[in-house]
Amino acid sequence: MVLQRDAKINIWGWASKGEAVTVKFYGKTYTTQASDNGKWKVSLVAMKAGGPYTMEIKGKNRIVLHDILIGDVWFCSGQSNMVHQLSLHSVYYPEVIANANNPQIRQFWIPTLTNLMGPVQDLPAGSWKAAVPQDIGAFSAVAYFFAKSLFDRYHVPIGIINASVGGTPIEAWIGASGFKSFPTILKTIATNKERPETEAGYLNHPPSGKSEPVDKGLSGTTPWYSTAFIPKGWRQIGIPGYWEDQGIRNLNGVVWYRKEIEVPASMSGKSAKVYLGRIVDADELYINGNRVGNTSYQYPQRRYTVPAGLLKAGKNLFVIRVTNQSGKGGFVPDKPYYMFFGEDTIDLKGYWTYKVGEVFVPNRHARRVFPFSAQNAPTALYNAMVAPEKGYAIKGFIWYQGESNTGNAQEYGQLLPALIADWREKWNMGNIPFLYVQLPGFGDFNYLPTESNWAELRESQRQTLSIPNTAMAVAIDLGEWNDIHPDRKKPVGKRLALAAEKIAYGADIVYTGPVARFSKKEGDKVRVFFTSVGGGLITSDSEDLQEFAIAGADKKFVWAHAKIEGSQILLWNEEVKDPKFVRYAWSDNPVDPNLSNKEGLPASPFEMECN
């Protein structure tokens, strides 16, 4: 494991009531006695970075822990973009994975756990893993690049404790005491304690007396993926693309895709890879009648392995069964769609044939019951995944979350400070650094000024910088319009590490891009003042400034002319004679947010009222 340097190190465990416990470490001996509830704890003196060391813990039994390093430990948490392991980005970072061999960078991965009743004290079995070839794939990509940057800079062991769960709201990560100012959430916490443990699932009650619809592609005498099936009445459709954009209107259901793919003799019998980009929502891939891969939800990139012996020279039948529950269904554009073995590559884009296997008919009279999800409930993840570590000395926190809270962006401006205060109180180590990622761009581009929940949440994140000893890694330039899990995790980790160098290590560096401080009117113009300008304000593409908008009291925004003047920006539009508000990069996914400093760090999106 990795223990925190230059801090009191707590070592704790459980024994029989009154049992004497001795801990020996680095030439010192610590003794204690288990309390009436069986818990014991000793505090080791602060130590400098180093190791490996051995620790002996002795009571009625004897435990010896080997290969202990002293360095810096960071608690990493959030939702899926903190979860995403390097293995999920192996195509983007193949050399990083192949060359990773640093046993002094270690991760402790905490599995998804929930508890609605209250904080728990312990975790199930787990272990520290080193950043070596056999284990690096399981590391959080963001956390690894963060740790690697710090190790390269300070040459001390870096430990990352990763407690993160995809698709979860911030409320699940805050302890009950953190909700003192949220009476409605406190009532929800009390109510959830009465829920049966088995309550879960999604119910969409069908009409009385009617049976569930059946997928024709699976219910007939010959399934549609079979090589013996003879297709009739199939229509043409393109991959990639959504079926709603190709002549199918408002369909939620199951659509089958079919095509014969010509395979060269050089690939015959070989184990190949199939990349199917992203599919909304679920899919199953069949080749020559055999299922070779499936994914149950829309976000993962589809990368399937074709087993050896399945492909043959000549025509091979590819069938893809796609299930969509809501919104547009089909194959997400601007993603890779091909099969390859070695240097042989077959493009899978183009025209296929399709047929609808099942239509999900809305039942207007049914009562739609949304599931109770324990992992989304207030305190549930804190109780089970955070509380057990609160005694473990750390250097600070890194946090990447917010996508699940874009629907309540204003409340997020209160919840994020509540989480920071709650965790700092629980660790009882003072205002230790809290570093977080501002959400990147995601979704369709909008070429006119628009309202945006994602932009509102980014503004809540920016406002949180008023809390001491916090820093924000701006990632507005690192998103992908068609993927909520963008590949570019390395710059996210490196920007968090820059923030750590400044906030946690006291380095005299430019660690973030320009952040708007205030704005003031100058007649029919607005002047915006920035901090963190570093060597000066520039545009990242050497083009004119983009993505600035101004509005009068009616908040009807129009694009603004923008001019850099030193560490300030002057904005105006002839249509707005009395400007009151200014925005920058205010969109789910702004087209060209090109303001940065000369250090190459992008400016944070913002909205503010002019003084």
Side-chain angles (χ1 to χ4, degrees), residues 5-333:
R5 62 171 171 160
D6 302 328
K8 181 179 70 174
I9 300 172
N10 297 316
I11 305 294
W12 71 91
W14 294 266
S16 301
K17 176 182 177 180
E19 183 176 345
V21 177
T22 299
V23 176
K24 294 182 178 180
F25 187 65
Y26 197 59
K28 296 182 182 298
T29 300
Y30 306 83
T31 59
T32 189
Q33 192 174 32
S35 63
D36 289 346
N37 64 9
K39 189 168 183 177
W40 59 266
K41 184 179 81 170
V42 298
S43 295
L44 313 185
V45 298
M47 296 178 60
K48 299 297 181 183
Y53 302 118
T54 298
M55 180 182 295
E56 180 189 73
I57 306 170
K58 190 174 182 181
K60 294 177 181 177
N61 59 326
R62 179 174 175 266
I63 298 170
V64 179
L65 304 176
H66 300 277
D67 195 19
I68 297 171
L69 302 178
I70 307 294
D72 288 333
V73 181
W74 289 85
F75 188 83
C76 312
S77 188
Q79 57 182 107
S80 54
N81 275 306
M82 183 65 85
V83 173
H84 256 226
Q85 298 97 336
L86 270 168
S87 61
L88 297 176
H89 301 274
S90 58
V91 174
Y92 202 82
Y93 294 114
E95 294 182 0
V96 170
I97 295 172
N99 298 330
N101 189 19
N102 194 328
Q104 294 198 64
I105 299 175
R106 301 178 181 182
Q107 175 181 261
F108 189 96
W109 182 269
I110 297 173
T112 299
L113 303 164
T114 61
N115 193 298
L116 299 175
M117 303 308 294
V120 301
Q121 297 184 37
D122 202 6
L123 293 167
S127 62
W128 288 85
K129 300 291 185 181
V132 294
Q134 62 267 33
D135 292 319
I136 189 66
F139 274 56
S140 158
V142 166
Y144 171 72
F145 288 122
F146 169 79
K148 178 71 163 53
S149 294
L150 291 181
F151 180 84
D152 290 345
R153 174 71 174 83
Y154 296 106
H155 306 290
V156 300
I158 304 291
I160 48 180
I161 301 173
N162 197 319
S164 46
V165 179
T168 53
I170 192 172
E171 293 91 330
W173 294 101
I174 303 173
S177 60
F179 290 113
K180 295 172 185 175
S181 300
F182 301 85
T184 301
I185 295 179
L186 288 174
K187 289 180 181 178
T188 300
I189 294 169
T191 300
N192 285 342
K193 290 182 179 180
E194 305 300 321
R195 287 184 179 273
E197 292 183 6
T198 56
E199 184 174 357
Y202 175 86
L203 302 175
N204 190 2
H205 298 289
S208 177
K210 294 185 179 180
S211 61
E212 294 278 357
V214 176
D215 181 359
K216 295 177 184 177
L218 297 175
S219 59
T221 55
T222 306
W224 291 359
Y225 60 78
S226 170
T227 55
F229 174 73
I230 301 174
K232 296 179 181 179
W234 288 54
R235 294 183 169 88
Q236 183 172 272
I237 195 168
I239 291 179
Y242 301 108
W243 59 65
E244 277 85 356
D245 297 331
Q246 301 184 74
I248 303 176
R249 180 176 294 179
N250 299 330
L251 172 68
N252 296 323
V254 178
V255 177
W256 292 75
Y257 291 71
R258 175 186 177 96
K259 187 173 185 177
E260 288 187 327
I261 304 294
E262 192 77 23
V263 173
S266 59
M267 292 180 70
S268 177
K270 302 295 195 304
S271 175
K273 295 283 188 181
V274 173
Y275 284 7
L276 290 177
R278 280 185 53 231
I279 299 174
V280 183
D281 293 304
D283 66 282
E284 298 172 66
L285 169 64
Y286 298 87
I287 298 178
N288 295 330
N290 297 275
R291 191 168 85 161
V292 299
N294 72 290
T295 305
S296 61
Y297 66 111
Q298 64 168 294
Y299 291 118
Q301 295 193 40
R302 274 55 172 179
R303 295 169 181 165
Y304 299 137
T305 300
V306 183
L310 185 57
L311 295 175
K312 59 184 180 180
K315 295 185 183 300
N316 290 253
L317 177 63
F318 280 55
V319 176
I320 307 169
R321 179 179 183 262
V322 180
T323 303
N324 175 246
Q325 301 291 342
S326 63
K328 290 185 175 183
F331 296 76
V332 176

Side-chain angles (χ1 to χ4, degrees), residues 423-446:
W423 286 12
R424 283 175 170 174
E425 179 185 357
K426 299 297 174 44
W427 257 265
N428 194 28
M429 296 182 67
N431 287 343
I432 54 176
F434 190 99
L435 318 174
Y436 57 96
V437 180
Q438 189 184 49
L439 292 186
F442 172 65
D444 295 339
F445 295 114
N446 199 317

Side-chain angles (χ1 to χ4, degrees), residues 339-500:
M339 178 171 67
F340 68 96
F341 169 77
E343 296 183 357
D344 292 324
T345 301
I346 298 175
D347 191 356
L348 299 180
K349 298 191 298 294
Y351 286 112
W352 292 50
T353 60
Y354 83 91
K355 193 163 188 176
V356 176
E358 182 175 347
V359 177
F360 299 157
V361 180
N363 176 17
R364 298 177 182 176
H365 303 290
R367 179 176 61 88
R368 200 178 199 194
V369 181
F370 289 94
F372 172 75
S373 172
Q375 70 178 32
N376 293 337
T379 74
L381 297 177
Y382 168 81
N383 289 340
M385 297 178 66
V386 180
E389 294 88 67
K390 66 183 182 181
Y392 201 97
I394 60 175
K395 185 73 172 180
F397 306 98
I398 63 172
W399 173 255
Y400 192 163
Q401 189 275 338
E403 298 92 336
S404 290
N405 286 90
T406 53
N408 63 336
Q410 289 188 344
E411 187 180 30
Y412 195 86
Q414 299 173 287
L415 291 168
L416 182 54
L419 179 139
I420 296 170
D422 184 53
W423 286 12
R424 283 175 170 174
E425 179 185 357
K426 299 297 174 44
W427 257 265
N428 194 28
M429 296 182 67
N431 287 343
I432 54 176
F434 190 99
L435 318 174
Y436 57 96
V437 180
Q438 189 184 49
L439 292 186
F442 172 65
D444 295 339
F445 295 114
N446 199 317
Y447 285 83
L448 290 173
T450 184
E451 299 303 315
S452 166
N453 289 338
W454 279 62
E456 286 186 14
L457 192 126
R458 292 186 197 108
E459 178 63 9
S460 291
Q461 293 175 316
R462 186 183 73 90
Q463 295 287 350
T464 303
L465 289 172
S466 63
I467 297 175
N469 234 25
T470 61
M472 180 177 73
V474 176
I476 192 63
D477 58 325
L478 300 176
E480 297 177 25
W481 76 270
N482 57 5
D483 202 330
I484 204 168
H485 303 125
D487 268 323
R488 288 181 290 177
K489 294 292 191 284
K490 185 174 183 177
V492 176
K494 290 178 74 68
R495 289 175 191 178
L496 282 169
L498 279 176

